[in-house]
Amino acid sequence: MMAASSVSSLFLPSLAPGLDSGKTSCRSCQSNAGRRLGGPFVRCSGPIPKVSNGVKSGGQLTSVKRRDAIGLLCGLSSFFINSFNVNGAGLPPEEQPKLCDSTCEKELENVPMVTTESGLQYKDIKVGGGPSPPIGFQVAANYVAMVPSGQIFDSSLEKGQLYIFRVGSGQVIKGLDEGLLSMKVGGKRRLYIPGSLAFPKGLTSAPGRPRVAPNSPVIFDVSLEYIPGLDVDEE
């Protein structure tokens, strides 16, 4: 690391010994610059004026250190950077896409809960008008997966693509399989999945996402968009 005197010499070239204090040759300036900067970064064109290390104030000489000026500049820079950070911190958190908004949440309070023999519970946000998927058929669905507190740990909406899998074949957790099999195309449903039908080994949390403990209950909002295989058969 350069000493303070070395750094300041980049801005204020010192005079070579034996030369007049008011003048220096271009050759000396270039050679000195080459030794200090590793290349000809400074060009000289005539005499270089004397540089004073202080300024007069009220008849007395007041010393102004270049390192103090540099410190002042750094302080101003950090002030502006911190100002931008404060403004950014004041922004509202980004809204996560959901299948059930605030209005939907209020309406769900009056929707009756259905409980199956396995312990799965669900409420229909919207009853679909299409067919129900046969076991083993592919389905295209959207989902928003949450822990009981409502924090989202996974979502097809955030990924921007439908989730396609064979329903009833064990490709997803048991509660999701069972919940989708009784849905109709175009429907939306909230599934309250008990731990026995959820993730036996749990899920490792992604950055900023809640962890799912082994055999803990989860909530899935799902929408059955279409059944690719069934559409082909019907055509």
Side-chain angles (χ1 to χ4, degrees), residues 41-199:
F41 290 94
V42 180
R43 290 186 179 180
C44 301
S45 57
I48 297 177
K50 292 182 179 180
V51 179
S52 175
N53 290 328
V55 295
K56 288 186 177 181
S57 175
Q60 296 181 353
L61 188 65
T62 303
S63 176
V64 179
K65 296 181 179 178
R66 284 186 288 274
R67 62 185 179 187
D68 292 340
I70 294 172
L72 177 60
L73 291 175
C74 293
L76 290 174
S77 300
S78 63
F79 170 78
F80 287 112
I81 292 172
N82 289 334
S83 297
F84 286 123
N85 289 339
V86 169
N87 291 336
L91 293 175
E94 184 178 353
E95 186 71 20
Q96 294 174 315
K98 297 179 180 180
L99 287 172
C100 186
D101 57 17
S102 57
T103 303
C104 166
E105 293 286 353
K106 292 180 181 179
E107 293 175 351
L108 271 183
E109 294 176 2
N110 300 321
V111 176
M113 181 80 77
V114 178
T115 303
T116 68
E117 293 182 1
S118 66
L120 174 68
Q121 294 182 313
Y122 65 84
K123 289 185 176 184
D124 280 315
I125 299 170
K126 175 186 175 183
V127 178
S132 295
I135 293 178
F137 272 64
Q138 281 191 330
V139 295
N142 269 315
Y143 68 89
V144 177
M146 301 168 280
V147 294
S149 65
Q151 290 180 288
I152 297 174
F153 66 84
D154 195 9
S155 171
S156 66
L157 298 180
E158 293 180 2
K159 298 171 184 176
Q161 60 183 14
L162 293 170
Y163 186 54
I164 299 176
F165 65 98
R166 293 191 179 278
V167 68
S169 61
Q171 293 184 352
V172 296
I173 58 175
K174 295 178 180 179
L176 185 55
D177 254 344
E178 182 183 346
L180 276 167
L181 280 171
S182 58
M183 290 180 67
K184 296 181 179 181
V185 172
K188 292 182 183 181
R189 178 175 287 182
R190 172 163 292 180
L191 303 172
Y192 301 87
I193 303 175
S196 58
L197 303 177
F199 300 94

Side-chain angles (χ1 to χ4, degrees), residues 137-140 164-165 225-234:
F137 272 64
Q138 281 191 330
V139 295
I164 299 176
F165 65 98
E225 302 296 331
Y226 61 93
I227 307 171
L230 195 60
D231 290 345
V232 172
D233 290 345
E234 289 179 343

Side-chain angles (χ1 to χ4, degrees), residues 15-21 23-24 28:
L15 298 179
L19 294 179
D20 181 72
S21 60
K23 297 181 181 179
T24 184
S28 298

